[in-house]
Amino acid sequence: MEGAMDDVRIRETLALAWERCPALRTRMEEAGLALEDIRGEEELARIPVLKKDQLGVLQTQAPPFGGLLAVDVKDLARIFVSPGPIFDPQGAVPDYWRRAQALEAAGFGPGDLVVNTFSYHLTPAGFMYDEGLRALGAVVVPTGVGNRELQVEIITKLGITGFVGTPSFLAALLEVAREKGWGPGSFPIRKALVSAEPLPSSLRNMFQDEWEIDTYQCYGTADVGTIGFECSQKEGLHLAQDMVVQICDPVTGEPLPPGQVGEVVVTLLSPVYPLIRFGTGDLSKFLEDSCPCGRWASPRLAGFMGRVGDAVKVRGLFI
Ligand SMILES: [Zn+2]
């Protein structure tokens, strides 16, 4: 994200968070920062990174959202629970996690019947996709996790056109489908958006070449929702809207230039949950070239490249 308009949104979000989120205010004041010190993306890096494990600590100190929620708890739509436990809010707005843009880039839209094989319990993954698909006008069949034989029956009886879930679960479904006598010509799924796991190119090739399922990846977290997604080039992840993504030195929090691997640090420009400089603990890097699709001007992420703990151990290798 860049430009004067984005800096305005950063200032607006910070002003709101300063007013309503005492934990953000404390973090800035402890770093000797006043609200006026942050004029845009460049100065954002002066705010210390909030690591994911610190989020759990803050939530324990000031339950349930650690002084980081900008609305009243009773104005939320849902509350989810990540391992920790860490509570994740869903604001009462359509497509709260901004997943529709990733689905649209993967070719999902009106007329699609989609099995949503992510869990709808505790984790927000199921609802993230559900809301995004509904925002696009697609029909959702909330099949959730497991029940492979039943899922294959549902897919073939309903003429399901799209799959969302993990790549390994899609592979497992296709294995059952093959056992039941279905093949690329008869099995109806034609598109897939996968996340939550790496997608090896061997698996993508199998989905696409063998089963004719056009397969895309999406990347996000339970805390901040969609971060990046693939376009038709399938080379790197375009950045999602309504957030600032920085790749930072995992130790100092300093932004790193394109090509260097660091922690994915997200600032969520949300009036509900304005997480500022949130350290996801994931490693990635910005790609140095622009995407031939020309659809989005923003830089692209290389995708998930490991966890920060691994990088610190072998820091010389990465940085
Ligand atoms: Zn592109």
Side-chain angles (χ1 to χ4, degrees):
M1 223 178 84
E2 49 197 307
M5 187 53 89
D6 299 328
D7 285 346
V8 169
R9 290 197 62 198
I10 289 169
R11 288 201 293 274
E12 285 172 355
T13 303
L14 267 177
L16 179 88
W18 179 271
E19 184 69 31
R20 300 192 191 164
C21 307
L24 182 267
R25 194 167 176 155
T26 302
R27 179 156 42 113
M28 286 180 65
E29 284 175 346
E30 283 177 358
L33 293 169
L35 181 60
E36 299 72 39
D37 291 332
I38 313 298
R39 307 305 300 160
E41 182 170 354
E42 207 181 309
E43 295 93 356
L44 255 191
R46 295 178 62 190
I47 302 175
V49 171
L50 174 70
K51 297 282 188 180
K52 180 147 183 158
D53 53 357
Q54 293 173 298
L55 189 57
V57 173
L58 287 176
Q59 289 193 353
T60 302
Q61 288 169 352
F65 291 104
L68 291 168
L69 190 70
V71 300
D72 199 291
V73 172
K74 67 179 188 302
D75 292 328
L76 294 174
R78 295 183 180 87
I79 296 171
F80 296 91
V81 187
S82 293
I86 289 175
F87 297 115
D88 302 309
Q90 178 193 354
V93 293
D95 190 27
Y96 171 72
W97 298 276
R98 306 159 346 275
R99 185 72 26 123
Q101 58 194 317
L103 288 155
E104 192 174 29
F108 287 76
D112 275 318
L113 271 66
V114 182
V115 281
N116 182 357
T117 69
F118 280 109
S119 171
Y120 280 67
H121 299 131
L122 296 177
T123 163
F127 279 100
M128 278 187 191
Y129 280 93
D130 198 294
E131 297 252 327
L133 288 162
R134 289 301 305 130
L136 291 175
V139 177
V140 183
V141 185
T143 50
V145 183
N147 301 308
R148 291 186 299 169
E149 297 206 352
L150 177 61
Q151 297 228 20
V152 167
E153 189 181 347
I154 292 166
I155 288 164
T156 52
K157 279 191 172 161
L158 286 176
I160 294 291
T161 55
F163 168 95
V164 295
T166 62
S168 60
F169 192 64
L170 179 55
L173 282 186
L174 294 175
E175 195 185 310
V176 173
R178 194 189 295 281
E179 285 165 16
K180 300 283 177 192
W182 299 96
S186 54
F187 197 65
I189 290 181
R190 284 292 160 269
K191 61 191 78 171
L193 182 59
V194 298
S195 60
E197 284 175 2
L199 174 63
S201 53
S202 57
L203 210 50
R204 168 134 60 186
N205 292 343
M206 192 265 275
F207 297 154
Q208 298 195 148
D209 301 341
E210 217 176 299
W211 287 85
E212 295 167 20
I213 298 172
D214 200 12
T215 307
Y216 292 78
Q217 294 185 87
C218 173
Y219 162 61
T221 74
D223 323 274
V224 298
T226 310
I227 297 173
F229 55 91
E230 288 181 334
C231 68
S232 56
Q233 300 294 318
K234 301 180 184 176
E235 284 178 19
L237 306 168
H238 285 282
L239 297 182
Q241 66 204 21
D242 300 330
M243 58 169 46
V244 180
V245 177
Q246 298 169 309
I247 297 296
C248 298
D249 182 307
V251 177
T252 66
E254 283 289 317
L256 298 169
Q260 286 197 28
V261 176
E263 181 173 19
V264 178
V265 174
V266 173
T267 293
L268 199 52
L269 303 177
S270 162
V272 175
Y273 194 39
L275 276 182
I276 309 294
R277 293 268 288 163
F278 176 70
T280 60
D282 292 341
L283 292 171
S284 189
K285 64 179 180 181
F286 280 121
L287 299 176
E288 292 172 78
D289 57 336
S290 59
C291 186
C293 82
R295 190 169 164 191
W296 291 277
S298 67
R300 288 165 302 147
L301 285 175
F304 176 78
M305 299 176 74
R307 293 287 295 170
V308 164
D310 311 333
V312 173
K313 276 181 218 145
V314 285
R315 198 161 167 245
L317 194 71
F318 280 101
I319 298 171

